[in-house]
């Protein structure tokens, strides 16, 4: 999908509301409301940026999603995903395409190793999870 202009009046998505709940209770993800927020996130679609240099076959292959990996200062590698086009445009304005992927499905297939996931990194409700956190907190059974 192509990213349209940055819409500042877009309504808050359920995934963003879930992130707001988690941001209100940092470090306490085991609370009941946080469990509900994590379930909402796992059931939500997220926007996975497609690099501008990716060809059309890579951008549209329904059987695979190339994860965009950004290296942070200090060497940590993170995959940015977003809950809305506005969030994507705020952090990565040069990215014009994305894939819409169920977050729970992405988490189910998350690679092992030290690859973190960051959701809406530029926003006050942003959340970053370690590789283990992605698999244990967001992975949904497939089927």
């Amino acid at each position: 999908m192509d990213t349209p202009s940055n819409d500042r009046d877009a309504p808050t998505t359920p995934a963003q509301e879930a992130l707001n709940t988690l941001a209100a209770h940092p470090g306490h993800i085991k609370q009941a409301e946080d469990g509900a927020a994590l379930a909402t996130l796992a059931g939500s679609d997220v926007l996975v940026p497609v690099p501008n240099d990716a060809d059309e076959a890579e951008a549209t292959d329904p059987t695979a999603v190339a994860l965009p990996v950004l290296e942070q200062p200090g060497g940590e590698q993170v995959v940015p995903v977003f809950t809305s086009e506005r969030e994507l445009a705020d952090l990565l304005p040069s990215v014009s395409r994305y894939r819409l992927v169920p977050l729970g499905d992405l988490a189910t297939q998350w690679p092992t190793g030290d690859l973190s996931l960051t959701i809406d990194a530029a926003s006050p409700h942003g959340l970053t999870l370690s590789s283990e956190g992605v698999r244990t907190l967001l992975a949904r059974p497939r089927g």
Side-chain angles (χ1 to χ4, degrees), residues 5 16 28 35-36 57 95 100 119 121:
S5 62
Q16 289 168 336
H28 298 95
V95 173
L100 200 56
I119 307 168

Side-chain angles (χ1 to χ4, degrees), residues 38-123:
L38 287 167
T40 297
L41 276 179
S44 298
D45 288 338
V46 292
L47 287 62
V48 179
V50 173
N52 288 334
D53 61 353
D55 65 33
E56 195 61 28
E58 292 173 318
T60 59
D61 180 356
T63 63
V65 175
L67 297 177
V69 179
L70 302 176
E71 189 164 328
Q72 301 294 310
E76 179 185 13
Q77 294 186 321
V78 299
V79 172
V81 298
F82 303 90
T83 58
S84 70
E85 292 171 338
R86 180 183 68 205
E87 295 293 342
L88 170 61
D90 282 351
L91 186 65
L92 301 173
S94 65
V95 173
S96 61
R97 298 181 296 171
Y98 61 85
R99 299 279 302 269
L100 200 56
V101 178
L103 183 56
D105 289 351
L106 184 64
T108 301
Q109 300 175 38
W110 198 255
T112 57
D114 292 332
L115 187 62
S116 298
L117 173 76
T118 186
I119 307 168
D120 290 352
S123 76

Side-chain angles (χ1 to χ4, degrees), residues 118-140:
T118 186
I119 307 168
D120 290 352
S123 76
H125 62 244
L127 175 68
T128 299
L129 294 171
S130 68
S131 183
E132 180 181 338
V134 172
R135 289 189 303 274
T136 60
L137 297 174
L138 297 177
R140 298 183 305 167

